[in-house]
Amino acid sequence: MYRSPITRQAPFRLAAFHKMLTGRILGSGAYLPERRLGNQELALTIDTSDEWIQARTGIAARHIAASDQNTSDLATLAAMRAVSNAGIAATDLDLIIVATTTPDQTFPSVATMVQHRLGCKPIGAFDIQAVCSGFLYAIATANNFIKAGAAKRVLVIGAEVFSRIVDWQDRGTAILFGDGAAAIVLGAEDAESGRGCLGFKLCADGQFHDLLQVDGGPGFAHGQVGKVRMQGKEVFKHAVQILSTVSDEILAQYSLQSAQVDWVIPHQANRRIIEASAEKLGIPIERVIITIAEHGNTSAASIPLALHQGLSDGRLQPGQLVMLQALGGGFTWGAGLIRI
Ligand code: UT7
C-alpha cells in the first residue's frame, strides 16, 4: 500500500510537540457539618455501646447535616476551600465532577449546582455514582480528561448526606455512616515532572448487589426512598480480600513494590478492614492515613477527607507515592497511584 512521506512522518512530528500530561493535586478542602453525633449519644437510641463501636469499627463519632443542608451545600463549601487552597479562581476551572450517592434531587446533578454557586464559567459538570468508590472513579475520570488535553483544571468532589438513607433503628448500619464533603483541584502537569497521577484501576461486579444496597431511591424499582441494607459480615470478608488484590494488581501494573508506597489512603469503612488490608499488602499501619474515628464512613467523601487531612497536616509531601483504595456497593472497587 502506498503511504505518502507526509503521512509516515506526521505521527513523529506530533509526538515531538505533544507533551504527555497528567493530573497533579493543586489544592484540597473539606467540610464536616457542625452537628457531631458521638457513640454515647447514639447508644441512647439503639442497643449498642461506645466500647462496641470503637472496638469493632474504630469510629468515635460521625457528623450529621442540618435539616436544611443538602449534599450540594456540603460540596460547595468543600469546593470553595479547595479552590482557594489551590490558589486559583473558580473561573479558572474547566470541569467539575462530583461523586455522590445522595444527590439533592434525581436531577439536576449536584455538580451543576456547585458550578452555579461557585460562579464558574459554563463549563462541563456532572455527577458520578459508584457509592464508596465514587471518588476513585471521579479522580480517574478527571485525570483522563487532563491526559486527553480536554481539561486543564478539574474540581473533583466527594460529598454525601448518608444520614438521610440510614435506617436509624438498624444498629448494623446506623453506627457506621456519617455526612461530609471534601474536594481537590487536579491540574494539568507535564508527566515527565514525576508528580501527579500515575494511574487507576477501576472494577465492578454486580453479582454482589444484595450484600450492600439501598432498597429504594430514584431508580423507581421499589416505589420508596429506601434505606441502606447491608450484610456487614459478608461485605467485611470480601472487602479485605478484594482491596488487597486490587492493590497488588495496580502495583504490578506500574512495576512497583509495596515498600515504595509512602502512604495508603483507604476508603474509611471500618478500621479493622483498613488494618487487615494493610497487613495483607505488607504496609505498616503507620503509613496509612486513618480518619474514620472522627467522621465514620462518609461513602464517596471518605477518601478526599483523609487525603485533605494528610495534605493539611503535612504528612503528605511533594514527590511521595500515595495509593488510594476503595470498595463500595455494587460491588464497585479500585485503587489508584498518585505522586503528590
Ligand atoms: O463502605 C462500604 C463497605 N461497608 C463496610 O465495609 C462495612 C463492613 N462490615 C462491618 O464493618 C462489620 O461487619 C460491622 C461493623 C457492620 C459489624 O461488625 P462484626 O464484627 O461483623 O459484627 P457481627 O455482625 O458479626 O456481630 C457480632 C455481635 C453479634 O452478637 P452475637 O450474635 O455475637 O451475640 C451482633 O448481634 O455483635 C452484635 N452487634 C452489635 N452489638 C452492639 C452487631 N451490631 C452491634 C452493635 N452494637 N452496633
Side-chain angles (χ1 to χ4, degrees):
M1 187 183 75
Y2 172 76
R3 291 171 74 202
S4 82
I6 293 171
T7 315
R8 279 208 311 273
Q9 283 172 17
F12 297 104
R13 284 206 190 119
L14 277 176
F17 293 108
H18 186 77
K19 257 192 207 161
M20 294 278 280
L21 296 170
T22 189
R24 176 167 74 81
I25 299 172
L26 302 181
S28 65
Y31 173 77
L32 289 172
E34 255 174 60
R35 165 114 169 84
R36 182 181 184 274
L37 175 59
N39 291 343
Q40 275 165 358
E41 188 183 346
L42 192 57
L44 298 174
T45 53
I46 49 173
D47 182 15
T48 189
S49 65
D50 178 41
E51 296 70 38
W52 193 95
I53 302 173
Q54 298 248 20
R56 305 295 269 229
T57 71
I59 298 167
R62 67 287 298 142
H63 292 250
I64 308 294
S67 57
D68 62 351
Q69 274 186 317
N70 291 306
T71 294
S72 64
D73 301 306
L74 275 56
T76 302
L77 286 164
M80 286 166 71
R81 291 171 183 179
V83 168
S84 153
N85 183 249
I88 62 163
T91 45
D92 295 329
L93 294 168
D94 43 26
L95 183 67
I96 298 176
I97 307 178
V98 177
T100 188
T101 303
T102 49
D104 301 23
Q105 299 165 232
T106 300
F107 75 86
S109 67
V110 172
T112 60
M113 299 176 193
V114 173
Q115 178 275 335
H116 176 62
R117 288 184 212 167
L118 288 187
C120 302
K121 293 176 196 157
I123 53 175
F126 60 90
D127 291 358
I128 278 185
Q129 210 284 65
V131 209
C132 302
S133 313
F135 186 78
L136 202 60
Y137 274 61
I139 190 176
T141 306
N143 192 47
N144 281 339
F145 271 88
I146 288 174
K147 276 167 70 177
K152 282 198 179 110
R153 292 196 179 104
V154 188
L155 178 62
V156 190
I157 308 170
E160 304 278 13
V161 285
F162 237 69
S163 60
R164 307 263 160 85
I165 54 168
V166 165
D167 175 352
W168 288 100
Q169 303 308 311
D170 173 14
R171 68 177 183 169
T173 50
I175 56 158
L176 295 174
F177 294 99
D179 303 337
I184 59 161
V185 176
L186 212 57
E189 174 86 12
D190 181 347
E192 286 184 11
S193 77
R195 295 180 70 186
C197 300
L198 270 69
F200 299 89
K201 185 170 173 65
L202 305 180
C203 310
D205 190 342
Q207 71 164 304
F208 299 108
H209 173 283
D210 293 348
L211 296 188
L212 181 51
Q213 51 150 330
V214 169
D215 57 358
F220 304 113
H222 301 78
Q224 59 178 355
V225 172
K227 298 290 178 203
V228 176
R229 305 294 170 208
M230 180 174 73
Q231 296 177 37
K233 234 181 171 38
E234 281 300 301
V235 175
F236 190 112
K237 203 175 67 191
H238 286 292
V240 174
Q241 187 54 51
I242 287 172
L243 288 171
S244 50
T245 302
V246 76
S247 305
D248 285 339
E249 285 169 353
I250 195 156
L251 286 174
Q253 198 175 320
Y254 290 91
S255 304
L256 289 162
Q257 309 289 324
S258 60
Q260 292 170 276
V261 174
D262 294 293
W263 295 101
V264 176
I265 303 184
H267 165 50
Q268 313 282 316
N270 183 319
R271 193 182 166 101
R272 284 160 54 225
I273 294 179
I274 295 172
E275 286 170 347
S277 322
E279 196 184 329
K280 263 179 170 279
L281 195 58
I283 292 194
I285 202 68
E286 298 73 37
R287 292 198 347 242
V288 183
I289 296 189
I290 307 178
T291 53
I292 191 168
E294 195 41 45
H295 54 66
N297 182 345
T298 55
S299 188
S302 93
I303 287 182
L305 278 168
L307 183 56
H308 172 70
Q309 183 63 45
L311 287 167
S312 45
D313 67 22
R315 272 181 285 178
L316 302 182
Q317 289 295 318
Q320 287 188 331
L321 183 64
V322 171
M323 177 190 281
L324 309 183
Q325 303 170 326
L327 174 128
F331 291 156
T332 56
W333 68 92
L337 291 170
I338 302 175
R339 263 202 204 280
I340 296 299

